[in-house]
Structure formats: structure tokens, C-alpha cells
Amino acid sequence: MDNYQHHLFFEARDLTDREKNKIRRHFLKKRDSGGGECGMIEKIGDNTYKISFKEKEDQERVLQRKFHNIAFPSGELQLTVSQTSESQGPENVVQSGAPKHDEPKKKVMEKRVNLPPDLIAFITSSGAISKYQACFQQSFRNPVSLDLGSELVLSSVSSDDLDEALAVVLRDLSVANVELQGAAAVPPDLDRVKEIMIKAKNEANCPELRVDVSFIPGPSGTTKVRLVGYSESVDKLKEVLHEYQINQVGTQELLKLPLPELVDCFDKFLSMTDVKQNRVTLKPSHVPYPCVVVSGPRCLVKEVQAELSKALSSLLLDKLFLDGPGARQYFQAEGKVSKELVESSCHVLIREQQGLNSPNVKSSSTGVTPIPTPRTLQTSPRSIAVNRTSLEIKLGSLVDEQVNVLVVPMLSSQPTSTRIGNCLLKRAGSALKSKFDSMAATCTLAPGDVLQVDAPSSLGCSKLFFIECLPWDGVRGQSVQALSNGLKRCLDLCVQQHLCSVAFPVIGPGIVLKFPLREAIQVLTESIGQFGLTASSGSLSNIHIVIKPDYPDSEECYHDVYKQLSIHMNQGGQDGVCKDILTVAGPEVVAELKAAIVNRGQSFASHPGYFPCEAILHVNGHKDAGIIEQLVCDVIEYCETSELESVAIPAICAGAGGLDPGVVASAILRGVKTATSTTSLNFLTDIHLVLIKINVFLAFKEEAMQMFSTAVINRVSVPQLPQVQQKQQQPPSSVSSGTLHTTSTSNQSVFLFLGLSRKDVDDAMTKLKELYQAQCSAQTFKKEELAGLTADDMEDLKQLVKTQGLCMQMDQSGQGSLTVSGLKDGVNQVMQMINVFLQGSLRREMRVRKEEDLYTRVAWCILGHNGNWQRLPKTANHNLENKDVAGGIEDAQGIKWRVDLQKFEATRIMGFVTAKLKRLVNLSDFTFPLYWDNMADDENLKVVVLQPSSQEYRTVKEAFKRTVSKTVMKIERLQNVHLRRAYEVQKKNLSDKNKQEGGAGEKLLYHGTTEDNCDSIMKTGFNRRFAGQNATSYGLGTYFAVKASYSASPTYSRPAFDGTQLMFVARVLTGLYTQGTSSMKVPPPRNALQSDDRYDSVVNRINNPSMYVVFHDNQAYPDYLITFK
């Protein structure tokens, strides 16, 4: 007990142990008795007890309250404590406040106190002097008298009693001035304040005068409320006034909406309810999630919020599915008024949703949508788990946070140096100021240090952590380091002191510290990220980041904080574009991805969350080009199967994945090319490659230029790449109705119905369905009617079906009919289009027949750059014959030409190249070779002397001169219709016979002749009967040499009298050949068992023959005659 040396004594009847323990607990509580740590109560006399305190200050505070009232079940016990105990006995322990009569008269002492006039007036009117006189006579050993004039005078012979009496008066009586702000300072709100305060005063003054209230007008429309009286009553009226101002102060709260659609039609929903706004503003918003911002006086905001929550909780929703998007289009246009009438008559809201690729379900109902409990500007979709700590990003006021710790920035150890500190001091008042000053006086703070202050009860926290900051001095300056250290210190203190929750503002971007917003966010999120990744969170289970909602950059700040936190927490290990996508998509998609297992080379489709698309495909490229190529194919196949129209693909693994951009570009473009060339794409029309970095774009461009045609690349705007490889133009052909059906499957029109009763919703759904059905019709087209549609017709029909929002269904019975249903106008347009197509099909069929008929009779040709005549296609052939050439013609290679029929010339539109044209008129039973000239109907043989300047002349001459040095005098083309007809027949026979073994084997060979035989050969061809005139070494047939030099020998080309020689250039059908012998009259059989299957010719040697011998006159045709010398 040596520690308890400061004794006090009191008198009481016999006390039980329980009563002594209760009295001790009273003296332990500073709030109740002024005491503190004390020992057990000891009985030192019959009715006298002693209690000893550890600290002198605790003893003195107990003495300041001589009367201590303690409640017991039997009644209240009043104790009078004293510092002394007389040895004569316990009757002397407790001293009376009156002096003993036998004591000598002592000197009287005075204390004079200047009191505010209002307080003097209250003391006078309330009779407080007489009350204190009576109280002091009983309470003190020496009487204390009071006299009130212009000042308060206290008299007593004891200085201790005098001091204690003065302390009692100053503690019991007080004056408080409260300044009204804003609307509360002027009528009509001021009248309401007066009414409330007068009522509270009257209640406090019953049955005696305890407090007085006065209203003092101030400058600039301000009003001051003065409260005078007993401190207890003054404090109660201050609380009433504070509560009123708190309730009337403007605030904002977010109420989450159950559906995004409600944001755009909130006003209509509000008109369906009984919610009264009453000075409260309701503003629907999509940010930070579908919600309504409730703004206004706090008390009214709470009321309206409660009413809205009740209305939303009773909201019913249902969905109506109508086949085809035409319903959506109808109710957006001419049916809009009818839809609005259904809404108003049935008291519902009708909203269109994106179409769904779902079966033909007419309606699908959901239950009542649960409405989450409204939270003060809390962004619950923006939450991140840091180890076991939940991290929430919120729009709101830091002062309103209900957490263990609020973190506050300050400059130069001044709590009012920042806006946040000012707000806290306005809320907590002098109580916070005194606590802060007390703690600040005990230490010196350096930048980055944290001052801990116990929070007053008016705040929703237990502690305040003030960070000593520095104004912005650059990214590498001391200000960033100081702020980072302070934030880390705050988190460490929370863990050390076993605190559960802490709230941070975004420190720095204000007018005092002047941090750039991005830098402030970076420091905050890095500090929290490092804490989450490396520190043990202990009991710290909640971290709040609070962003003021009324700042111009609040929304940007909100999203940047979430994005940066997502990066620093490295959720799921994503990098590059993945992070950006998941940041926008939100935590639900992140959680869905975390729960999925995506192995190497696999993909996973998730919901889009808040990302503006229909699905997100997560792929695992594993930094392997082969896997990336296959994944791209899988993605395109998925989109086509899911009937999606477009897809965006990033440069997979080219960023944080570390793969070379050229490797990635090659893999992705190969995947695109493979998928688009092997898969029939009926739905997917757009493939976008999203390339952010310029080096990646250039790599893709280089690969695309090599892989795709230049024509395709030139049509694509930077930085996109070709959607699909260009396909060759196909001639018009009929398209089956089955193919048409696969391209016209329409999405459904989905309508969302919102109402407050089941009957209203059902009635509205029925009426809307009937309205649409009344505007619809259906038409069935037979397979035969659709047979004439071309590919172009089908594309046009698909576009019309899509534009009009029609539904097309294929007959499942196998008959091939197609039914088009939807809005009447759209169905009628389809019927008209198909009729037009059928008429066009008939016209095309007539034109095709005309072209084909003309093609057999007339051949228009164009001279190619290689000197060979090329036949023009049927359409150009028809246009030239009918002189329909104003739009030019197109050759077989797709090149377009302008035509001058008078000159028989064509000029290339691109390049200004000129080419000759010619027209051949075929015989009824013979088609002229393209290099021939026209011949009269009765003309059998025509000899055309070639011009030395022609390419034809040069080609024949060059082949001759390769082995012959003699001079070419003349070259003539021989056009013998009978011989050529027979030759072509034989050529076809050999081609058919040898189609698996090289065909007819046509070759240009040489045959020397004489002037005597020349004319006969020109007219009747080569004749075996003349075999043996020169040699028969390899059989009794017609001999042809590979080289002109052999045939130029005088032995075979005997010179004429003028020295000239003659040689034929012949077309020879060598077919299948074998070694010849002198006795052969026909080629030998190829197989001894099949004597009729013979070789077509024989040669002088099998390997590299230089001589061919044929035994059939029609197997050779004299094409040219060369005269040389």
C-alpha cells in the first residue's frame, strides 16, 4: 500500500464489502468523482472510512467535489470527504461547514470575479445566489458568502473553501455563443431555429430557471445564438442547435439502382412512386455505378433515401422476347407513341435491351430484384482485397467516415493548414484543438512524421493521425518521400495498435501542398500496395480511400485510384492491355477470371462487366507464337459460332509478355488469314487489331504488306489492318435458300418491364405484344423461287433483312422453303426485292445465253504484251460485237480498257498501254485459232505473209535462228481449215486417251521440203506415202526434227534454182513415244496383251530425242513456211 499515500476520509454507516467495492469503483472513475487509481477502502473507526490515492492530483480533484452521491438499491448515499482525521475519534473526521463557537474569530478573505453581463443578469433572475449560499453552508467547514453587484464577490475565512466555492460557481455557470451559418442564419430557417430553441429552453426551465436564450444579429446576414445559464442546460441546448445545423447542412449520398436502365428513366420511375423530394435533389448517374445522387439537407436526404429504398424494394421486373430486332425498331419509330401510352396506362416503365441470341421464348420473368442497403457514397463495385484487408474507394467526406483512424495532412504542425484539417476542426470544435495542442507541445515533428491525437466524441473515429507534409517540390523531391513515409507510418501504427479500420484522403492535390493529381494518387496507391504485398495486416481489416464528390476531377481521381491500385496489387498476374481491360470491367470480372482455370493455349469467355462489349475472351498465349496463332483462329471461330459481328484483338504478348513485335504480328496475321480462309464467315464482319505502340504497329504493317495483297492494305486506314483477304470475283451463280437462312438469323428484341405490381406488368406485356403482332405479317418463299438468286442478290437481301429487323426461318421438313416474318412493311420490301431479283435473274439468263451463243460464232481478241492473241471474256465479247463500249471492257485478267472500234485499238485505263483488237468470225463447224486472220466462208486455204515487225514473225524466226545461220527471206502462216479441223480432232482423241500420261504432247518441230512438195503439203498435209524419199531409219512415217539445222540440210530442203530453201514449222502430236526401227509401219503396241493400244509416235532415241516419226497424216499440221537462203 506504499504506493497509495494520499488519503481521504468519509463517514458512513456500516458498509458491506459489496458497498465498499461500489464506493471504490466510484472513486476510480475520473468522470464520476474526479479520482483515479486508488486502494481498497479501510474502516478506521466506528463510522469512519479511509481511501488512499496513488496520485496527488486525483486526491485534489476528489476534494473539489465534497459531496459524492452514490446510488444503492436501498437509496442514494451522500458522502462528504475530508483530508484530515482527528485522533479523538471518528466524530471529528467529518467537519461541519460552520465554524465552532469556541474557536477564535478568523480574518475574512474575499475573491472578486468579473462575469459577463448576461451571466450576472441570469444569476440575479434565477436566484442562484441563495441556492449557492445554502449549498456552501452545508458543504464547507467554513461558511462562504456571495454578493452580486457589477461583479461577483465571494467571502470566507478559509482560502481553500473560497477557491473551491469559486470553482463550483465557474463550473456550474457558463455562457456560450453559437454562430448560425448559411440558410439557418436568415428567415425563414431562422424562425424555425428560434421555435426549436424556445421549446428546448422551456423544457429545460421546468420547474426552475436553468438557461436563457437570445438571438443577436450579426454582419452580412449572420446570426449569433447566445446561451446563458447552468452549464449542463447550456450544453444540452448547444447540442440541440448543433443537431439542427447538422441535419440542415447540405450532403450527398448515393443510392444504388438495381438496373442500369433505371438511370435514363429515373424521372419516370419517380412519377410512379409517392416519394416527395421536398428540397432534395435527385440526380441519376452511371458513375461510379448505376445510382441516384441524393442531395440536400441531411435530415431530408435521409427521409427521401428511405422512401426511395422502399419503392425500389417493391419494384418488379419482367422481360418480353419478340422475334427479330424489328420490334425494337418499330417501337423506336412509329410505334413509340403507342409504347408510351402502354407505359402511362399500365403505370410501368418499358426499356429496350440489346438483343439476345436465345431460343424463341416469348417471355421470361424474373423475381423481385433485391435492392442493396443504401450506403453513403460508397463505391462497392470498386473494392480490392489486400491479403485479408478489404480496400474500398469511396466518394464522400472524410469527416463522416466511421472508422478507427482518420488520416489528415498538415503543414508546419498546423492542423488548420489544409482543407481537411479545417473541416475536422469545424466539426469537433475546441475539444479537438485542445487535444491537438496538448500532443503537439510534447514533440517536434519532421516531414513524414505522424502525430497521434485522440478523437473527440463528435467524430466517428477513435484516433486522428496527422501527417507532417511538405509542398510539392518535384517527383524526386523531399515532398514525395515525406508523404510516402507518413502513409507507411500510419499503416504500421494501425497494425501495432491492433486497429481495425483506417480512412485516407487523396493527400496532396489541394491548393496548399500543390501535388499533381496523378503524383498524389501514385504515392498513395504505391504505399498501400507495398503494405498489402509485404506487410502483415494484423487486425487491420478495412482501408478506405475517400474522394470528395464535388471536386471537378473527382470522377477522374476515382477511376485513376482504382486503376493504380489494381496495378500495384497485380491482381491475377495480368499485364499490359489486360490490366486496362480488367480495370474498366470491374472486380466481378476479375473474380470470375480468378475462379477460372485457363491453361496454356486455352481461352476463357467471361461477362463484360462494365466494359462496353458483349463478351471478353481471356487467352493464355504463353509467349509462344504457334499458340498465339491457334488462339486467334479459336477466337474468330468463337465469334462466328456466337454470331458476333466484330472482335478486337490486341498484340498478344507483345507488351509485358516480352515477345518480339514482328513474331507476334506474323502469328496473329497468320491466324487471321487461316481462320478467314478456312471458315465460312456469315456473322463476323469486322476484325480489329488494336495496336497502341508505334513499333508494334509498324511490325504489323510490314507483315501485312507481305501476307495480304497491296489492294487490301490500301483500303485500310491506319492503324487498322485488313479484315479478311480479298476474294476473287465469282461469276453470278444461284444461291440455295439454306445458305440464305444462315445469314439472316436475327437477334430477338428484348423489352424490360418495370412496375410496382404484378398485374400492371402483365397487362403491359400483353398489350405491347398485341401491338407488335398487329403490325406483323409473314411470307413463305418456295425453293424454286429462290433458285435464281446470285451471291450479290443474297448480300442485298441479307442487308435488307438486317435493316428491317426481320426474322427468317428455314422449313425443317426438307422442302427448302423460307419464311420471312416481321413488320408488314419490311416483309413487303423483301417480296418486292425478290421479285426484282427474279426479273433480273431472267434478264441475266437471257444475256448469258446471248453471250454464249455469240461466243461460239465470234471471237474478239486482244494482243497481249507477249505477242500472243488472247480471247476476251464473254461479256466483253458481247459488248464489242454490239458496240456497247462506252464504259470500256475488262479482259480475262480483270484489267479495264478504253476502246476505239474505228482503229481496232484498246487503251489500258491505268498505265496508258495500247493493244490491238481483232474480230474472228468462226465457221459453223470450226473455231479459228486466235492467231489466225479472218477467212471467207468459201475459203479453204489462206497463206498470210507475216510482217517482220510483228511479234509472231520474231518468235518463229528466233526459234529458227537458234540452230541455223542462214538468212530468213520470208515467213508465211498457213491457214488450212480442212487440215486444221482434222488435226484438232486427232488432238482431242490423243488428249482423252493419254489424259493420265501427258495428253497429246503437241510440239513445234521442223520438216524440210522442196518446192515441188511444198504446195502439196500446204493443201493436203503431210503424207506417209512419200516416206522413204530421204530415209526410213526409224520407220515408214513422216519425219520431224527438233532442231531447224537438221531440216535445213540440202538433203531435206533442196535449194531451188535461185538458192532458196523451204522448211515447214509444224505442229506435231507426239503423244506417247518409243524407240523406232526401220521396219515399222505403225507404232508398236504398248502392251503385248493389248495389240490395239499402241504408242503414238517413235523417236531416234528415247533419251533426249532429236527426231520424231508419226504414222497418222492428221497428227501433224503445217503451221508456218519459212523461206531461207
Side-chain angles (χ1 to χ4, degrees):
M1 299 295 291
D2 292 341
N3 292 332
Y4 304 96
Q5 299 179 359
H6 307 286
H7 314 300
L8 289 178
F9 305 90
F10 63 88
E11 188 178 79
R13 58 176 174 75
D14 290 338
L15 298 174
T16 65
D17 289 342
R18 178 176 293 181
E19 289 171 334
K20 285 191 286 185
N21 286 333
K22 187 165 186 180
I23 294 171
R24 178 175 180 266
R25 287 196 301 272
H26 170 77
F27 286 116
L28 280 169
K29 296 180 181 178
K30 179 179 178 181
R31 183 180 65 239
D32 294 344
S33 63
E37 189 173 350
C38 59
M40 303 301 293
I41 294 176
E42 302 176 49
K43 187 173 184 179
I44 62 171
D46 291 340
N47 292 318
T48 304
Y49 294 85
K50 180 179 77 172
I51 184 165
S52 302
F53 292 88
K54 186 176 182 180
E55 302 292 340
K56 176 68 174 175
E57 292 83 354
D58 296 342
Q59 179 203 44
E60 290 176 348
R61 283 197 301 271
V62 172
L63 279 172
Q64 290 176 6
R65 305 182 186 182
K66 268 199 171 179
F67 292 108
H68 292 271
N69 298 321
I70 304 170
F72 288 99
S74 59
E76 189 176 85
L77 175 64
Q78 186 180 74
L79 299 179
T80 303
V81 296
S82 173
Q83 196 172 357
T84 59
S85 173
E86 300 293 337
S87 59
Q88 288 83 353
E91 66 275 7
N92 296 320
V93 171
V94 181
Q95 299 296 327
S96 169
K100 295 182 179 179
H101 295 290
D102 57 350
E103 290 182 354
K105 190 171 182 180
K106 298 180 180 179
K107 183 180 178 181
V108 176
M109 293 175 284
E110 287 185 351
K111 279 191 178 292
R112 294 177 177 271
V113 183
N114 287 319
L115 297 177
D118 291 337
L119 188 56
I120 292 175
F122 174 80
I123 294 173
T124 303
S125 61
S126 64
I129 294 295
S130 59
K131 295 177 186 175
Y132 281 117
Q133 292 276 37
C135 175
F136 293 163
Q137 292 296 331
Q138 296 178 5
S139 303
F140 300 135
R141 179 181 300 175
N142 299 295
V144 178
S145 64
L146 292 87
D147 186 29
L148 185 65
S150 61
E151 57 184 2
L152 179 65
V153 181
L154 292 85
S155 305
S156 177
V157 296
S158 169
S159 61
D160 290 342
D161 290 345
L162 198 61
D163 290 342
E164 188 170 349
L166 179 60
V168 170
V169 172
L170 296 179
R171 183 184 67 234
D172 284 357
L173 298 172
S174 64
V175 178
N177 293 311
V178 181
E179 188 171 334
L180 297 178
Q181 299 177 347
V186 294
D189 286 14
L190 180 59
D191 297 334
R192 175 61 179 159
V193 173
K194 290 181 178 180
E195 180 183 340
I196 292 172
M197 295 304 294
I198 295 301
K199 180 180 178 182
K201 183 189 78 168
N202 292 338
E203 292 176 354
N205 291 338
C206 183
E208 61 178 352
L209 181 61
R210 303 285 298 173
V211 67
D212 196 12
V213 181
S214 60
F215 294 86
I216 304 170
S220 304
T222 60
T223 300
K224 186 182 296 182
V225 181
R226 179 165 295 168
L227 305 174
V228 183
Y230 291 102
S231 297
E232 181 183 0
S233 298
V234 168
D235 289 342
K236 286 183 178 179
L237 263 66
K238 278 176 64 178
E239 188 64 29
V240 170
L241 194 58
H242 178 71
E243 185 68 24
Y244 175 83
Q245 292 201 90
I246 287 295
N247 285 334
Q248 296 304 313
V249 73
T251 186
Q252 280 188 344
E253 295 201 11
L254 294 187
L255 180 61
K256 188 174 182 180
L257 297 176
L259 293 168
E261 290 83 358
L262 274 174
V263 174
D264 299 324
C265 62
F266 183 77
D267 291 341
K268 291 186 177 180
F269 165 75
L270 201 61
S271 66
M272 294 164 48
T273 69
D274 297 327
V275 176
K276 297 179 177 61
Q277 292 184 235
N278 190 21
R279 295 170 53 203
V280 172
T281 302
L282 302 176
K283 183 180 178 181
S285 173
H286 288 284
V287 177
Y289 48 83
C291 63
V292 58
V293 182
V294 187
S295 307
R298 183 183 298 273
C299 58
L300 300 179
V301 165
K302 294 293 185 184
E303 293 176 8
V304 172
Q305 198 175 18
E307 291 180 19
L308 264 179
S309 296
K310 182 179 179 181
L312 288 170
S313 64
S314 61
L315 187 67
L316 290 170
L317 69 89
D318 209 338
K319 288 183 180 179
L320 175 66
F321 295 87
L322 297 174
D323 287 338
R328 186 166 59 249
Q329 297 173 5
Y330 170 72
F331 287 116
Q332 287 174 348
E334 58 265 29
K336 182 178 181 180
V337 174
S338 299
K339 178 173 73 70
E340 291 173 350
L341 288 173
V342 171
E343 285 182 308
S344 59
S345 63
C346 296
H347 305 290
V348 298
L349 297 177
I350 304 174
R351 282 291 163 269
E352 297 130 7
Q353 290 190 321
Q354 291 298 318
L356 303 174
N357 297 318
S358 53
N360 294 326
V361 180
K362 297 301 178 184
S363 66
S364 173
S365 176
T366 67
V368 177
T369 302
I371 307 299
T373 303
R375 307 177 72 175
T376 304
L377 291 166
Q378 180 168 325
T379 58
S380 53
R382 291 291 197 240
S383 59
I384 302 174
V386 184
N387 292 335
R388 296 193 306 270
T389 303
S390 172
L391 198 155
E392 293 185 3
I393 309 162
K394 311 169 74 173
L395 290 174
S397 174
L398 187 74
V399 180
D400 295 327
E401 285 299 294
Q402 302 293 317
V403 290
N404 295 135
V405 179
L406 296 182
V407 177
V408 187
M410 66 177 178
L411 195 63
S412 302
S413 300
Q414 295 296 321
T416 57
S417 58
T418 64
R419 183 179 295 185
I420 298 172
N422 272 314
C423 291
L424 284 169
L425 284 170
K426 284 183 180 179
R427 170 68 64 86
S430 58
L432 174 58
K433 183 69 167 63
S434 62
K435 288 176 181 288
F436 180 91
D437 291 342
S438 175
M439 295 301 299
T442 63
C443 62
T444 301
L445 298 175
D449 288 347
V450 175
L451 179 68
Q452 302 180 59
V453 177
D454 290 333
S457 58
S458 56
L459 296 177
C461 63
S462 58
K463 285 183 178 293
L464 295 165
F465 288 174
F466 287 87
I467 301 178
E468 179 67 19
C469 298
L470 289 173
W472 171 254
D473 59 354
V475 176
R476 295 178 177 84
Q478 296 181 3
S479 58
V480 171
Q481 189 61 46
L483 178 56
S484 178
N485 292 342
L487 293 170
K488 182 179 183 300
R489 178 66 178 151
C490 289
L491 290 167
D492 292 343
L493 287 171
C494 290
V495 175
Q496 294 168 12
Q497 299 178 23
H498 307 290
L499 300 171
C500 299
S501 56
V502 60
F504 291 90
V506 178
I507 298 173
I511 59 174
V512 177
L513 299 180
K514 299 181 181 179
F515 275 56
L517 178 61
R518 294 294 172 87
E519 295 298 333
I521 292 172
Q522 184 77 8
V523 175
L524 176 62
T525 54
E526 278 184 358
S527 300
I528 295 175
Q530 290 172 4
F531 169 78
L533 295 175
T534 62
S536 172
S537 60
S539 61
L540 186 58
S541 57
N542 289 281
I543 299 175
H544 295 179
I545 297 178
V546 184
I547 299 167
K548 284 285 285 183
D550 52 353
Y551 287 174
D553 52 3
S554 295
E555 184 177 340
E556 175 190 0
C557 181
Y558 175 83
H559 290 296
D560 281 352
V561 168
Y562 182 81
K563 179 179 178 180
Q564 290 298 322
L565 280 172
S566 299
I567 292 172
H568 293 305
M569 301 334 297
N570 195 22
Q571 295 187 63
Q574 291 85 18
D575 50 43
V577 177
C578 302
K579 284 182 181 176
D580 296 333
I581 294 173
L582 291 174
T583 296
V584 178
E588 292 181 3
V589 176
V590 173
E592 188 178 357
L593 179 58
K594 281 186 175 180
I597 300 175
V598 186
N599 295 321
R600 175 182 178 184
Q602 292 183 343
S603 60
F604 166 71
S606 74
H607 294 291
Y610 293 100
F611 201 83
C613 64
E614 294 186 33
I616 298 177
L617 281 174
H618 309 267
V619 298
N620 186 349
H622 206 71
K623 303 180 183 179
D624 186 308
I627 291 177
I628 293 173
E629 179 180 348
Q630 184 57 49
L631 281 171
V632 171
C633 293
D634 295 343
V635 166
I636 293 174
E637 182 180 351
Y638 171 87
C639 293
E640 177 64 22
T641 305
S642 303
E643 300 183 2
L644 300 174
E645 295 182 356
S646 60
V647 62
I649 303 173
I652 303 169
C653 294
L659 277 184
D660 180 79
V663 174
V664 175
S666 178
I668 290 179
L669 291 175
R670 281 199 310 271
V672 171
K673 187 171 184 178
T674 301
T676 55
S677 59
T678 59
T679 305
S680 177
L681 300 180
N682 297 314
F683 296 96
L684 184 62
T685 58
D686 295 293
I687 301 173
H688 300 276
L689 299 183
V690 182
L691 310 173
I692 299 173
K693 296 183 178 179
I694 187 63
N695 64 318
V696 178
F697 166 69
L698 293 175
F700 269 78
K701 182 179 180 182
E702 182 179 353
E703 289 292 331
M705 294 294 291
Q706 297 176 11
M707 194 174 301
F708 295 92
S709 68
T710 305
V712 175
I713 300 294
N714 290 339
R715 290 203 310 272
V716 181
S717 60
V718 175
Q720 294 178 351
L721 290 175
Q723 296 174 358
V724 292
Q725 187 175 3
Q726 187 181 27
K727 298 180 180 178
Q728 292 184 350
Q729 183 180 0
Q730 299 292 333
S733 60
S734 62
V735 180
S736 69
S737 58
T739 304
L740 178 64
H741 171 65
T742 61
T743 63
S744 62
T745 303
S746 299
N747 294 334
Q748 291 182 317
S749 293
V750 185
F751 293 89
L752 183 69
F753 288 74
L754 302 169
L756 298 176
S757 78
R758 180 76 261 171
K759 183 178 183 303
D760 289 344
V761 172
D762 290 343
D763 289 347
M765 291 174 66
T766 301
K767 289 183 179 180
L768 196 76
K769 182 178 178 181
E770 290 174 349
L771 275 173
Y772 177 63
Q773 289 178 343
Q775 300 296 322
C776 293
S777 65
Q779 180 68 34
T780 300
F781 300 93
K782 296 180 180 178
K783 183 177 181 180
E784 297 78 19
E785 295 178 279
L786 303 175
L789 268 64
T790 66
D792 290 338
D793 294 341
M794 183 193 75
E795 289 299 324
D796 292 342
L797 190 58
K798 283 167 54 180
Q799 187 60 41
L800 179 62
V801 166
K802 183 177 180 179
T803 303
Q804 295 296 322
L806 303 177
C807 180
M808 303 186 74
Q809 291 182 328
M810 190 72 179
D811 178 39
Q812 301 300 320
S813 64
Q815 297 180 1
S817 62
L818 191 68
T819 300
V820 180
S821 59
L823 293 173
K824 294 176 182 177
D825 183 58
V827 173
N828 290 337
Q829 289 188 44
V830 170
M831 293 174 59
Q832 294 171 9
M833 178 174 279
I834 290 179
N835 287 335
V836 170
F837 287 162
L838 292 177
Q839 294 174 10
S841 176
L842 289 175
R843 286 194 295 271
R844 285 193 298 272
E845 187 176 347
M846 296 276 295
R847 170 67 180 255
V848 168
R849 289 180 180 177
K850 289 180 180 179
E851 289 180 358
E852 290 179 347
D853 177 64
L854 180 66
Y855 206 67
T856 61
R857 296 183 289 105
V858 177
W860 279 85
C861 306
I862 187 168
L863 187 62
H865 66 277
N866 58 356
N868 295 327
W869 289 96
Q870 300 171 2
R871 187 164 192 185
L872 290 167
K874 294 177 182 178
T875 300
N877 193 74
H878 185 273
N879 292 342
L880 285 165
E881 187 68 15
N882 290 278
K883 300 180 180 180
D884 181 14
V885 292
I889 60 171
E890 188 173 305
D891 65 16
Q893 286 73 43
I895 299 172
K896 292 187 176 180
W897 302 79
R898 287 189 295 268
V899 174
D900 185 342
L901 285 176
Q902 292 182 346
K903 295 181 179 180
F904 269 70
E905 284 183 353
T907 304
R908 190 170 177 175
I909 293 177
M910 300 295 292
F912 305 102
V913 176
T914 301
K916 290 290 184 181
L917 295 175
K918 76 173 178 180
R919 176 179 179 270
L920 294 175
V921 180
N922 297 323
L923 302 178
S924 59
D925 57 348
F926 178 71
T927 300
F928 288 132
L930 298 183
Y931 60 94
W932 281 19
D933 289 351
N934 269 320
M935 298 174 64
D937 291 343
D938 57 352
E939 191 176 9
N940 181 52
L941 174 63
K942 184 173 184 177
V943 178
V944 179
V945 178
L946 300 183
Q947 295 297 319
S949 60
S950 70
Q951 183 64 40
E952 186 179 7
Y953 179 95
R954 290 196 296 270
T955 301
V956 176
K957 177 181 175 182
E958 287 172 3
F960 174 81
K961 294 286 285 183
R962 287 191 191 105
T963 59
V964 179
S965 59
K966 297 180 181 181
T967 302
V968 175
M969 310 299 292
K970 179 174 61 175
I971 300 176
E972 298 167 287
R973 185 197 315 125
L974 308 178
Q975 298 183 186
N976 190 314
V977 173
H978 296 312
L979 292 180
R980 189 60 180 256
R981 182 189 294 118
Y983 173 82
E984 292 293 340
V985 171
Q986 185 65 14
K987 181 178 178 180
K988 186 176 186 311
N989 291 337
L990 292 182
S991 296
D992 293 342
K993 180 174 78 72
N994 301 330
K995 61 183 176 181
Q996 301 297 329
E997 299 171 276
E1002 184 180 62
K1003 291 179 173 60
L1004 287 176
L1005 302 175
Y1006 297 97
H1007 182 86
T1009 188
T1010 63
E1011 191 173 359
D1012 296 335
N1013 294 332
C1014 178
D1015 188 59
S1016 173
I1017 293 174
M1018 288 171 58
K1019 292 179 179 178
T1020 62
F1022 299 102
N1023 196 326
R1024 287 171 298 163
R1025 287 176 295 174
F1026 297 106
Q1029 287 184 351
N1030 294 317
T1032 58
S1033 301
Y1034 306 106
L1036 300 175
T1038 306
Y1039 285 67
F1040 297 92
V1042 172
K1043 295 181 179 181
S1045 58
Y1046 186 91
S1047 299
S1049 170
T1051 304
Y1052 309 114
S1053 298
R1054 287 199 300 272
F1057 67 93
D1058 58 357
T1060 60
Q1061 295 175 269
L1062 298 174
M1063 182 189 302
F1064 284 106
V1065 179
R1067 292 179 180 271
V1068 182
L1069 303 174
T1070 63
L1072 299 176
Y1073 55 81
T1074 186
Q1075 178 68 47
T1077 62
S1078 61
S1079 60
M1080 287 182 179
K1081 294 183 179 181
V1082 292
R1086 295 177 60 193
N1087 189 327
L1089 299 178
Q1090 295 179 348
S1091 58
D1092 57 341
D1093 183 15
R1094 296 178 179 274
Y1095 285 99
D1096 304 309
S1097 63
V1098 298
V1099 294
N1100 61 332
R1101 58 178 178 269
I1102 296 295
N1103 294 326
N1104 193 22
S1106 61
M1107 187 73 67
Y1108 289 84
V1109 183
V1110 297
F1111 300 89
H1112 195 293
D1113 294 340
N1114 293 334
Q1115 249 177 279
Y1117 173 78
D1119 210 12
Y1120 296 98
L1121 179 63
I1122 302 174
T1123 302
F1124 61 97
K1125 185 176 181 180

